[in-house]
Amino acid sequence: MANNNDKPAIILSGMHKWYGDFHVLRDINLEVKKGEIIVVCGPSGSGKSTMIRCINRLEEHQQGQIIVDGIELTNDIKKIDEVRREVGMCFQHFNLFPHLTILENCTLAPIWVRGIPKKEAEETAMHFLEKVKIPDQAMKYPGQLSGGQQQRVAIARSLCMKPRTILFDEPTSALDPEMIKEVLDVMIELAEEGMTMICVTHEMGFARKVADRVIFMDAGQIVEENTPAEFFDNPQNERTQLFLSQILH
Amino acid sequence: MSTETKKYPVGMHPALPPPSGSVGPVRWMRDNLFSSVSNTVLTFLGLYIIYLVVPPFIEWAFIDSVVLGAESRKECLKIMGEDRGACWSFVYHRWGQFVYGFYPMEERWRVDVSFVLTALTIAIVLVEKLRAIKAVLIAAILFPVISFFLITGGSFGLAEVPTNKWGGILLTFIVGLTGIFVSLPIAIVLALSRISKLPIFSFFATIFIEFIRGVPLITLLFIASTLLSYFLPPGSNFDLLLRVLIMVTIFSAAYIAEVIRGGLAAIPTGQYEAADALGLSYWQSMRLIILPQALKISIPGIVGSFIGLFKDTTLVVIIGLLDPLGIGMAAIATTDWAGLSTELYVFIGVFFFIFCFGMSRYSLHLEKKLNTGHKQ
């Protein structure tokens, strides 16, 4: 196990991506260790979301390597599905399935992708819904829940697949201020339990509290990466300093 | 405005009833019928038009009409005397033909059994209490198969009844229901092909859909009845009704495919992404996530197409199949019943209205039932 734990969860090396002619990601190199919490920040359009979306192949990269849990992402659909099973994702707009109840949202993938019996999947789902503190909403539909509740369901939905890594794509950006905390609390709990997490977020308090590393991106490149303390108190790059001065007032 | 009101702490203010006159029927009439001078005038004009049309129609269709006891139009007129009403006798007299066409008298029980099975199927599919998976499967697969063998005959000791004897409501139901139930799955496949990333699928689906939609149904029916025999090997007997069924089905499939494509386009990309991110395969995400939502959005359009298809079944008259309209037109061409076209068209109209209105109401019910309060 110890040996296994030394292997990085995710490796991006020399990764480039283009949208048509537009060069979005330029020479991305990143290694994420198991259990590591990484916060990615940067101005909009800097490629943060695109980068994490490449990790479960929602976006295709054109050059370089992405290796997730020892599996390299190529055009091989089997490998892609294998990676997606082990990598959960939470979206800015939750993307819950509106025609299914909360419980069905959580059990769908375990039943169909993992082949887990319905009853067992429901027990697991209830366990995780309790963890995100909304077991009483299990029979409701997503449309009946508040944004914060929906995002917590989305987290529970990812957890039900028992992923090794969860990607968060601006999970609190679409939420009212009052609801941000309830989502962040769940994320902090996950972080403390040793989940590998890559979070694109502007919640600097969260970054400071739980991140092992903060990555700053601009214009499709990783500009700076450092521990939160160093990153916030002693940013090296000029662009980082400017960005921080703007968001931290 | 400052009346003496009690101050409540925040959150303690009781819910008060609305002020009088803001709800109720009087208020409704004031808002909707008499809200201004011109609206009041329009209201009375509308009432006057209803008065002009409805009572005379009721008198004609019900009060002065004759159903029983007349063997021809002349006898009808004799019974009615001065008050000229509708002569429904001819519908009554030709009822057997209206329902079965020229299906042999002694074999008509087979059609009756099929009607009952169809009604049962529809009940099982529509009434939630009866909707156990097994029951639906039996009803949806077994009943149509039984009906098929019953109506065509030629096996299980039943006499064969050739399709050119089929007619009337039986024919309408066969063409309509086959078209409806076979075209939907074809339409789903066509819609998915058309939006497929694989060019070969989208190319052929697009060509097919655009060709079928660009041609009137009448033309397709003519192709089915005449042109097709030129292409088929001589002597091959490819049943005319079967040809018609195929044409009607692909015609409606092409339209419904476009409706479904619209529904698919309305599903946010986030849904596809969430399904992908969970590791669902293409077919799983289509079947479990995308199609249920897309079909739900498409219900009004799909049912619209179904209604159109059901009514278009009357077009088979043109290539010599006798649906109720054809039967009726043949009936009023006889000397006994000549001149009863109003009665015929009212009767056919009511027949189609009942079924089309039923479908329309069911679609509304379905929309309401499937609404899970999702508005993004």
Side-chain angles (χ1 to χ4, degrees):
Chain A
M1 268 317 270
N3 191 18
N4 198 19
N5 269 340
D6 294 342
K7 269 208 287 183
I10 295 162
I11 304 169
L12 308 177
S13 63
M15 193 262 275
H16 291 258
K17 170 165 181 62
W18 288 263
Y19 282 126
D21 286 337
F22 180 57
H23 199 169
V24 217
L25 294 176
R26 308 174 186 197
D27 193 27
I28 302 288
N29 290 288
L30 177 68
E31 256 191 52
V32 183
K33 290 200 273 297
K34 285 196 173 135
E36 205 175 9
I37 317 295
I38 304 234
V39 165
V40 184
C41 59
S44 65
S46 60
K48 315 166 294 244
S49 291
T50 310
M51 181 183 78
I52 71 162
R53 287 157 60 86
C54 282
I55 294 173
N56 63 356
R57 195 80 170 183
L58 288 182
E59 305 281 356
E60 201 177 311
H61 63 285
Q62 278 86 25
Q63 208 180 308
Q65 268 189 320
I66 301 179
I67 300 171
V68 182
D69 275 317
I71 303 165
E72 185 179 353
L73 281 171
T74 57
N75 282 325
D76 186 345
I77 290 178
K78 271 197 186 137
K79 293 249 167 87
I80 295 173
D81 281 342
E82 219 173 303
V83 166
R84 283 173 176 169
R85 257 174 268 153
E86 308 306 329
V87 178
M89 181 149 194
C90 294
F91 300 87
Q92 181 177 2
H93 295 288
F94 334 130
N95 298 353
L96 294 177
F97 306 129
H99 61 302
L100 301 175
T101 63
I102 300 307
L103 188 64
E104 287 165 341
N105 264 279
C106 292
T107 56
L108 184 107
I111 291 173
W112 290 92
V113 178
R114 290 230 192 264
I116 291 170
K118 188 172 176 224
K119 200 160 166 263
E120 200 185 317
E122 282 178 354
E123 279 164 16
T124 315
M126 285 314 293
H127 167 76
F128 285 117
L129 286 174
E130 260 158 51
K131 193 181 170 87
V132 300
K133 301 182 187 67
I134 33 177
D136 43 328
Q137 314 282 358
M139 292 305 153
K140 288 193 183 164
Y141 287 96
Q144 298 166 299
L145 268 56
S146 74
Q149 289 173 323
Q150 290 194 43
Q151 192 58 289
R152 283 184 285 152
V153 172
I155 295 174
R157 179 174 72 178
S158 304
L159 289 174
C160 285
M161 283 295 278
K162 309 252 173 83
R164 299 200 194 115
T165 306
I166 300 191
L167 311 171
F168 290 89
D169 188 1
E170 306 208 26
T172 56
S173 305
L175 298 177
D176 291 340
E178 278 181 326
M179 296 168 181
I180 291 177
K181 188 175 173 297
E182 61 188 48
V183 171
L184 287 181
D185 284 347
V186 170
M187 289 170 65
I188 291 169
E189 209 183 315
L190 282 181
E192 282 163 357
E193 285 169 12
M195 178 69 76
T196 313
M197 291 164 61
I198 304 183
C199 317
V200 172
T201 180
H202 294 131
E203 293 300 326
M204 292 307 145
F206 172 80
R208 225 182 239 279
K209 191 164 177 185
V210 299
D212 295 309
R213 260 190 295 164
V214 180
I215 286 172
F216 178 73
M217 287 181 75
D218 190 24
Q221 282 176 299
I222 294 181
V223 176
E224 185 163 351
E225 67 174 278
N226 221 327
T227 59
E230 278 292 298
F231 180 83
F232 290 111
D233 301 332
N234 191 15
Q236 303 298 309
N237 191 290
E238 217 175 287
R239 188 68 189 83
T240 318
Q241 288 162 6
L242 180 68
F243 177 77
L244 287 176
S245 73
Q246 275 163 351
I247 63 163
L248 296 176
H249 311 298
Chain B
M1 284 299 280
S2 69
T3 44
E4 199 58 37
T5 49
K6 200 178 154 201
K7 281 279 172 214
Y8 294 97
V10 173
M12 299 302 283
H13 199 301
L16 301 172
S20 63
S22 65
V23 286
V26 174
R27 172 69 190 214
W28 183 88
M29 279 174 31
R30 212 167 56 197
D31 279 354
N32 295 290
L33 299 179
F34 307 106
S35 58
S36 67
V37 176
S38 57
N39 277 0
T40 310
V41 170
L42 283 175
T43 299
F44 284 114
L45 191 68
L47 286 174
Y48 181 64
I49 291 173
I50 291 173
Y51 166 76
L52 279 187
V53 173
V54 174
F57 178 79
I58 289 176
E59 213 166 300
W60 174 82
F62 300 106
I63 298 170
D64 296 336
S65 68
V66 174
V67 179
L68 300 171
E71 289 293 313
S72 69
R73 190 179 179 214
K74 269 193 199 125
E75 290 177 32
C76 250
L77 292 176
K78 211 183 284 170
I79 294 170
M80 280 187 281
E82 286 295 293
D83 302 313
R84 291 291 163 87
C87 176
W88 298 122
S89 306
F90 106 96
V91 176
Y92 179 76
H93 194 254
R94 296 286 176 118
W95 184 251
Q97 278 186 18
F98 271 119
V99 177
Y100 308 97
F102 296 99
Y103 209 87
M105 203 69 87
E106 63 280 12
E107 305 290 345
R108 284 182 178 173
W109 63 270
R110 285 152 51 177
V111 178
D112 293 333
V113 173
S114 303
F115 280 156
V116 171
L117 287 179
T118 309
L120 270 177
T121 309
I122 291 172
I124 287 170
V125 173
L126 301 195
V127 182
E128 267 137 90
K129 275 181 200 152
L130 301 173
R131 201 188 293 153
I133 295 290
K134 252 188 206 161
V136 171
L137 279 182
I138 291 175
I141 295 168
L142 199 59
F143 288 2
V145 172
I146 296 176
S147 302
F148 172 79
F149 281 111
L150 271 175
I151 294 175
T152 51
S155 50
F156 301 110
L158 296 169
E160 192 179 337
V161 180
T163 56
N164 57 14
K165 298 255 195 249
W166 306 4
I169 293 174
L170 169 68
L171 187 70
T172 301
F173 276 178
I174 287 175
V175 177
L177 291 178
T178 312
I180 284 171
F181 286 108
V182 181
S183 65
L184 187 59
I186 297 177
I188 291 173
V189 173
L190 276 176
L192 289 180
S193 305
R194 187 160 187 182
I195 62 164
S196 166
K197 287 195 191 94
L198 302 171
I200 184 106
F201 284 103
S202 61
F203 177 74
F204 281 111
T206 309
I207 297 265
F208 180 84
I209 291 171
E210 294 305 337
F211 172 73
I212 299 291
R213 292 208 312 164
V215 176
L217 179 57
I218 293 272
T219 316
L220 290 177
L221 290 177
F222 272 125
I223 291 174
S225 76
T226 57
L227 268 180
L228 220 55
S229 27
Y230 291 110
F231 300 122
L232 294 169
S236 67
N237 183 22
F238 190 17
D239 192 272
L240 176 62
L241 179 62
L242 187 59
R243 285 185 255 165
V244 167
L245 283 178
I246 292 171
M247 286 303 181
V248 168
T249 304
I250 59 174
F251 184 78
S252 113
Y255 274 86
I256 296 172
E258 285 298 278
V259 173
I260 295 175
R261 189 169 68 94
L264 286 168
I267 306 298
T269 39
Q271 293 290 309
Y272 291 88
E273 288 176 355
D276 283 348
L278 286 169
L280 294 169
S281 70
Y282 172 81
W283 287 111
Q284 284 174 335
S285 66
M286 281 301 153
R287 191 162 74 78
L288 302 166
I289 310 296
I290 307 301
L291 279 175
Q293 298 183 58
L295 290 177
K296 189 182 98 182
I297 301 172
S298 319
I299 287 172
I302 292 175
V303 174
S305 296
F306 283 169
I307 290 174
L309 162 76
F310 193 70
K311 290 188 297 186
D312 281 351
T313 57
T314 49
L315 291 175
V316 299
V317 166
I318 290 169
I319 56 165
L321 296 181
L322 292 176
D323 81 320
L325 190 58
I327 297 278
M329 277 158 49
I332 59 171
T334 61
T335 44
D336 278 353
W337 304 107
L340 290 176
S341 47
T342 315
E343 280 86 342
L344 169 65
Y345 292 123
V346 169
F347 168 66
I348 298 293
V350 169
F351 166 72
F352 277 99
F353 178 79
I354 289 171
F355 287 96
C356 295
F357 185 66
M359 282 193 255
S360 159
R361 297 310 296 184
Y362 181 67
S363 115
L364 282 180
H365 162 77
L366 208 57
E367 270 175 73
K368 240 182 242 164
K369 202 189 72 173
L370 294 179
N371 180 15
T372 56
H374 172 67
K375 292 274 183 293
Q376 262 194 349

